[in-house]
Amino acid sequence: MAKKYKFKLQGLMKLREFKEKRVKLELGEIVSEIQKNKEEIYTLGQQIEEAYTSYNESSKTGVDGKFLQFYPYYIQGKREDIKNKENLIYSLERRMEEKRIELSQARGDVKVVEKLKDKDFQEWKKHTTKKNQEDIDDLMSIRRNNSKRAE
């Protein structure tokens, strides 16, 4: 009975595949975080626009001056939030680029082991086929010798 094919470096291959998956997940989390911050920047921009509109409406209706002094501080705070989020996005994009390089390396590492596995499998298959043919030839030889003796 023929033995099943077993790749000697299967453990290494699984480790490398695991690392590749982990890096992909980390990259996905970074992309998600960037998108979330971009959406928050957009929302902050809308809030600033609403504040300007509210300020203009309030100043036309004759609201107390102390109340109107609040708007510049509010808008300044929102702009600071935007600036902080833009800085965060910048650092996340740098991390994302590092993860892309790491992912590229991890994919390369997996491909190296996959090629080794393919090569090893082809050699095993060739050896197994050769061994099976030798067994068949031996059986045929034994059968011929037995039939010659029977005559």
Side-chain angles (χ1 to χ4, degrees):
M1 180 164 172
K3 289 196 275 181
K4 280 187 166 184
Y5 173 72
K6 182 169 179 171
F7 183 52
K8 295 173 186 128
L9 300 175
Q10 189 65 34
L12 176 65
M13 187 169 175
K14 284 185 180 183
L15 282 173
R16 289 187 175 184
E17 287 172 341
F18 177 76
K19 181 180 178 185
E20 180 185 9
K21 287 177 185 175
R22 181 183 52 81
V23 172
K24 281 182 182 179
L25 284 173
E26 290 171 0
L27 188 58
E29 289 171 1
I30 292 170
V31 168
S32 175
E33 188 72 21
I34 289 171
Q35 187 59 37
K36 183 184 101 178
N37 280 289
K38 285 182 177 180
E39 289 171 3
E40 288 175 3
I41 287 173
Y42 177 76
T43 301
L44 289 168
Q46 285 181 322
Q47 290 171 352
I48 290 172
E49 289 299 317
E50 290 170 6
Y52 277 124
T53 304
S54 174
Y55 177 79
N56 288 335
E57 293 296 320
S58 297
S59 62
K60 289 177 186 176
T61 59
V63 174
D64 185 15
K66 289 183 180 181
F67 181 73
L68 293 177
Q69 288 176 344
F70 159 76
Y71 283 100
Y73 295 115
Y74 177 79
I75 292 170
Q76 181 182 1
K78 295 295 179 182
R79 286 195 175 134
E80 289 295 322
D81 282 349
I82 289 173
K83 193 182 295 183
N84 289 338
K85 295 204 180 295
E86 287 173 342
N87 288 336
L88 181 59
I89 288 172
Y90 176 74
S91 68
L92 286 169
E93 286 174 342
R94 286 189 17 227
R95 273 187 45 212
M96 181 174 66
E97 196 54 42
E98 291 170 2
K99 286 294 174 188
R100 282 184 176 156
I101 292 168
E102 190 177 339
L103 178 61
S104 173
Q105 179 67 40
R107 281 183 179 160
D109 292 345
V110 169
K111 292 227 181 268
V112 165
V113 178
E114 285 176 345
K115 286 182 181 181
L116 285 172
K117 182 178 180 179
D118 289 344
K119 184 178 177 184
D120 187 57
F121 177 75
Q122 292 304 321
E123 288 176 14
W124 174 84
K125 189 174 176 183
K126 184 178 169 183
H127 174 73
T128 303
T129 303
K130 183 179 177 183
K131 178 83 171 110
N132 288 341
Q133 189 59 46
E134 287 174 359
D135 290 347
I136 291 171
D137 291 345
D138 287 346
L139 287 173
M140 293 302 287
S141 174
I142 291 171
R143 195 175 248 183
R144 273 189 236 127
N145 286 340
N146 285 343
S147 67
K148 284 183 183 177
R149 284 186 197 159
E151 291 177 2

